[in-house]
Amino acid sequence: MSDWSPFLGLPLWVWLFVIPTALAAIARLQRARLMPLLRRIWRVLDAVYLASGVLAAVFMVMILLLIVAQMGARWAGITFEGSTEFAGYAMAATSFFALAHAFSRGAHIRVSILLNLNSFTRMWLDAGAMLVAAIIATYFARYAVKTNFLSEMLNDRTQGQDQIPEWVVSFLSMFGTAPGNWGAIWEKTGDAWIYTPVWVPQLPMSVGTVLLAIALWDHLIRLLVTDETAIKGETVE
Amino acid sequence: MSELYATAIFLFAMFALLGGSVWVGLALVGVAYIGMELFTSRPAGDAMITTIWTGASSWTLTALPLFIWMGEILYRTRLSEDMFRGLAPWMRWLPGGLLHTNIAGCTIFAAVSGSSAATLTTVGKMSIPELRQRGYPEYMIIGTLAGAATLGLMIPPSLTLIVYGVSINESITKLFLAGVIPGLVLAGLFMTYIIGWHYLRPGERPKPEPSMSFARMIKDSRFLAPVMALVFIVIGSMYFGWATATEAAAVGVIGALALALVQRSLTRETFFASLMGATRTSAMIALILMGASFLSLSMGFTGLPRALAGWIDSMDLSPIVLIAALTVFYIILGMFLDGISSVVLTMAIVEPMIRQAGIDVIWFGVFVVVVVEMAQVTPPIGFNLFVLQGMTKHEISYIARTAIPMVGLMVLMVVILVIWPELATWLPDNVRQGPRG
């Protein structure tokens, strides 16, 4: 368990798995009292899932534009360095950002044959499945974030020919540093283009998987508190 | 712990997670994690992210959201109305009459959309009321529609074939071209069935359609011309090597947007609805693919695929027996899982097996699509059945019964593919050399 080093005095797995489960149990037991507070949180979270879905859609449009630009460049005889890598990054961004939004709209599929047996399984099998799924998603998110940090620490660069302006990297690293150090970041920043550091396109992976994990714990709590699933399914997409 | 014991736990975990209604993509991650912990000392989490990141950010995958988007745009236009008006004049002369619009409509929509459910809804929305009104027997309307809608999975662009191509690392362009002729043959089989019904059950024929002038026929079919043009541009650009699958998809999206704009059915709402809908569907498939890529890594450590391939080799089976066994296996699997999930779940095991047996992987892709198509119309879990239930308010069991002849035709299609494999392999072998992809 070397990978689960203590954080604020408790092993990381307690924070990631035990505490959310405990929170879900408390929410179930105290549901009458917690309902007004929870409703406010749910409104905020719904907006967050939607916003991340919209961001995913923006990246999907970006894939289209990149590919059109690539075709245009080929016909014009210009080489568009790294266009396939950029399209790949946009692909990852659209997939990961949309995970939580797709989940909250019931787009992710599952085998529901046992779920539809009776009203007991519809409630408790669903809750069990959400708990298991939440644990898996949290595990997924934890390693996505870890890998993202490692890529930054090791200064991992792309294998392709894709380059991005250095200021983009500096701008994004502001979010991960204390405001006191921002000056130091910008002092080192030139107006050069550099080979893409892998951690930049990996950011959507971290954000998206963390949001998916939050969405799963959130919907588990909603199910336990309201006795009905909050996933607004659509029959056909 | 013995190898056998660990394998049993691994397989049990797979059934428990999937059967316990955990979302497919996450269930695959969970199963893969268990496999890693049981069979190797490699750190599971780090290996997981490396594999998933490489897969999720790959260029090949970019064709997926774009083809989904193209289908979504056309699904929200007035295409379905135009399709019926444009097709009806040509189908009325055939024995079996307007029932053929179900098949022809599905074939055309399948060529712009990779999804079976979207094909079913688009065509059914228009053809069910029209055919009912003209007095065609209900079981023929529902049955032919349920069967023909599965063409959405086979005729390119096909989401199942993209997923298959990504899983085994084969050219998507080749797979798409491989699907064209078998898709048309299957459509031909469905039409033959309708013609057969016409002659065998003369009592059920509705009264013939009033005659129509040739000028009127041409006039009515102008509605179809833009869609047909789009189909030829998308498939043609891949065949002639002008564009990779992804580029063809980008052209398709732009073409679909232009078509909707000309039709004046592209409002701000439909544009955003198509965009968000495509984003969700693509994320759904992406999550399954993420789980699947981790699972195939983990599968490699379990030694199951190698053992099975070795076992198949030692039995000295003929490829035909192997294909027959796999057909039965996929039909059973398809009763519980949707097509895409069954493909990704099994590929890690099946791929070494078929390569060992010397079966062409492009041909196998088409075969897999035909067999998972059957899954769409077989109970208890058949997605097309659910969609049709929503549209017609019939019982699932009734819809499934009407679709049984169609399943029979699909089995016949498998036999045809085994006898004449060139149906699938000829077109991709003759593709013009173009950009990579």
Side-chain angles (χ1 to χ4, degrees):
Chain A
M1 283 286 161
S2 59
D3 236 11
W4 302 92
S5 48
F7 177 74
L8 298 181
L10 285 173
L12 194 54
W13 57 268
V14 174
W15 286 103
L16 290 181
F17 304 121
V18 179
I19 290 184
T21 312
L23 277 179
I26 294 168
R28 169 79 186 176
L29 294 173
Q30 296 288 324
R31 52 180 165 176
R33 199 180 313 161
L34 288 172
M35 195 76 101
L37 171 68
L38 284 173
R39 282 200 191 287
R40 242 172 291 158
I41 297 175
W42 294 341
R43 257 206 302 278
V44 176
L45 284 175
D46 280 337
V48 172
Y49 305 146
L50 184 63
S52 119
V54 170
L55 202 55
V58 171
F59 276 101
M60 200 169 80
V61 176
M62 196 124 65
I63 299 177
L64 178 67
L65 297 179
L66 277 166
I67 288 164
V68 170
Q70 185 198 26
M71 279 192 286
R74 203 171 64 218
W75 283 328
I78 312 165
T79 46
F80 180 178
E81 290 286 356
S83 62
T84 53
E85 277 80 12
F86 285 127
Y89 299 153
M91 177 68 216
T94 180
S95 308
F96 283 111
F97 278 132
L99 286 178
H101 171 65
F103 174 76
S104 69
R105 298 297 169 92
H108 291 305
I109 50 169
R110 54 171 162 175
V111 181
S112 50
I113 186 163
L114 294 176
L115 209 57
N116 292 330
L117 275 185
N118 53 44
S119 59
F120 178 81
T121 58
R122 198 163 301 135
M123 165 80 196
W124 290 104
L125 187 64
D126 200 8
M130 277 201 203
L131 179 63
V132 173
I135 289 171
I136 296 172
T138 310
Y139 177 82
F140 187 7
R142 185 239 178 276
Y143 279 96
V145 173
K146 181 190 168 194
T147 306
N148 205 165
F149 269 108
L150 274 180
S151 304
E152 201 271 341
M153 260 165 49
L154 304 172
N155 198 15
D156 231 354
R157 296 301 174 101
T158 171
Q159 314 265 317
Q161 293 301 311
D162 49 310
Q163 296 191 327
I164 55 171
E166 199 173 358
W167 63 264
V168 175
V169 182
S170 301
F171 175 73
L172 288 170
S173 43
M174 277 166 62
F175 295 98
T177 29
N181 299 330
W182 286 357
I185 293 176
W186 288 105
E187 248 168 53
K188 282 185 288 180
T189 308
D191 48 7
W193 286 58
I194 54 172
Y195 285 107
T196 317
V198 174
W199 68 266
V200 172
Q202 276 180 347
L203 277 179
M205 174 169 72
S206 299
V207 175
T209 49
V210 168
L211 276 179
L212 178 67
I214 292 176
L216 274 154
W217 289 111
D218 171 30
H219 281 78
L220 172 63
I221 292 176
R222 291 190 204 203
L223 177 70
L224 290 176
V225 170
T226 62
D227 279 346
E228 59 185 353
T229 181
I231 296 173
K232 297 175 284 290
E234 289 146 350
T235 40
V236 187
E237 236 345 308
Chain B
M1 188 169 11
S2 78
E3 195 90 327
L4 199 67
Y5 193 49
T7 310
I9 297 179
F10 179 70
L11 291 178
F12 174 77
M14 184 179 300
F15 289 122
L17 284 176
L18 285 171
S21 62
V22 175
W23 288 265
V24 174
L26 291 172
L28 299 188
V29 172
V31 177
Y33 167 78
I34 293 170
M36 294 289 280
E37 289 296 323
L38 285 174
F39 291 93
T40 165
S41 54
R42 260 179 84 175
D46 300 306
M48 165 178 80
I49 296 296
T50 314
T51 317
I52 288 180
W53 171 251
T54 316
S57 62
S58 86
W59 151 256
T60 342
L61 207 55
T62 49
L64 185 76
L66 295 184
F67 274 125
I68 296 175
W69 192 13
M70 170 182 169
E72 281 274 341
I73 296 165
L74 292 171
Y75 169 66
R76 283 164 215 274
T77 59
R78 289 205 324 268
L79 188 69
S80 63
E81 294 158 48
D82 291 356
M83 201 134 63
F84 198 87
R85 268 198 292 179
L87 283 172
W90 301 97
M91 300 298 156
R92 53 202 297 156
W93 307 106
L94 294 173
L98 294 182
L99 278 177
H100 290 288
T101 52
N102 265 346
I103 317 290
C106 285
T107 309
I108 294 173
F109 197 76
V112 291
S113 163
S115 138
S116 174
T119 306
L120 180 55
T121 331
T122 313
V123 177
K125 191 156 72 172
M126 204 61 200
S127 75
I128 293 175
E130 293 277 351
L131 292 174
R132 271 184 184 162
Q133 196 196 332
R134 287 170 165 82
Y136 287 93
E138 188 76 8
Y139 78 94
M140 283 300 286
I141 304 178
I142 310 282
T144 55
L145 187 59
T150 62
L151 290 170
L153 296 182
M154 173 106 113
I155 295 180
S158 154
L159 301 188
T160 315
L161 281 176
I162 297 182
V163 166
Y164 175 80
V166 170
S167 313
I168 66 160
N169 220 347
E170 279 291 333
S171 155
I172 302 213
T173 309
K174 278 193 167 181
L175 284 165
F176 274 7
L177 292 172
V180 175
I181 297 177
L184 293 176
V185 171
L186 188 55
L189 288 179
F190 290 146
M191 293 182 105
T192 315
Y193 169 73
I194 295 178
I195 294 173
W197 161 82
H198 179 81
Y199 289 116
L200 294 177
R201 299 266 179 90
E204 291 177 0
R205 291 180 206 168
K207 40 176 205 298
E209 297 285 310
S211 64
M212 187 189 239
S213 73
F214 190 70
R216 186 63 202 289
M217 279 168 68
I218 297 290
K219 196 162 166 265
D220 273 2
S221 50
R222 73 176 187 279
F223 297 113
L224 270 182
V227 186
M228 298 299 280
L230 189 60
V231 170
F232 284 114
I233 291 171
V234 170
I235 297 178
S237 63
M238 284 190 283
Y239 178 73
F240 291 108
W242 297 331
T244 62
T246 305
E247 288 167 347
V251 172
V253 170
I254 293 168
L257 283 173
L259 207 68
L261 210 62
V262 171
Q263 250 190 3
R264 295 176 194 289
S265 52
L266 185 73
T267 59
R268 186 192 295 258
E269 286 82 49
T270 51
F271 176 78
F272 285 111
S274 73
L275 186 59
M276 294 309 288
T279 310
R280 285 193 290 272
T281 309
S282 137
M284 178 272 279
I285 297 176
L287 182 62
I288 296 176
L289 281 174
M290 289 173 202
S293 63
F294 183 33
L295 183 66
S296 56
L297 175 80
S298 162
M299 249 342 163
F301 288 111
T302 64
L304 265 180
R306 228 173 319 113
L308 269 172
W311 180 64
I312 295 284
D313 196 37
S314 71
M315 294 223 300
D316 216 17
L317 286 177
S318 73
I320 295 193
V321 178
L322 180 62
I323 289 296
L326 283 173
T327 307
V328 175
F329 170 70
Y330 275 109
I331 291 176
I332 295 171
L333 195 64
M335 287 179 180
F336 305 97
L337 278 177
D338 69 288
I340 287 172
S341 308
S342 4
V343 169
V344 298
L345 190 63
T346 53
M347 262 316 124
I349 286 191
V350 172
E351 191 196 347
M353 220 192 270
I354 55 168
R355 286 194 197 268
Q356 184 77 50
I359 296 170
D360 184 281
V361 285
I362 301 284
W363 179 89
F364 191 78
V366 175
F367 160 78
V368 157
V369 170
V370 180
V371 286
V372 301
E373 267 181 12
M374 291 182 218
Q376 298 274 333
V377 287
T378 44
I381 307 285
F383 200 64
N384 284 8
L385 301 179
F386 295 139
V387 177
L388 268 172
Q389 185 188 31
M391 285 169 77
T392 63
K393 308 287 173 245
H394 283 299
E395 285 290 320
I396 288 272
S397 55
Y398 172 80
I399 302 170
R401 267 204 312 280
T402 67
I404 288 173
M406 302 296 147
V407 177
L409 290 174
M410 289 182 218
V411 175
L412 181 62
M413 185 68 215
V414 172
V415 175
I416 291 176
L417 270 176
V418 170
I419 300 176
W420 293 289
E422 298 82 12
L423 284 178
T425 52
W426 182 80
L427 204 55
D429 285 347
N430 285 285
V431 63
R432 309 282 191 281
Q433 277 309 307
R436 77 234 171 283

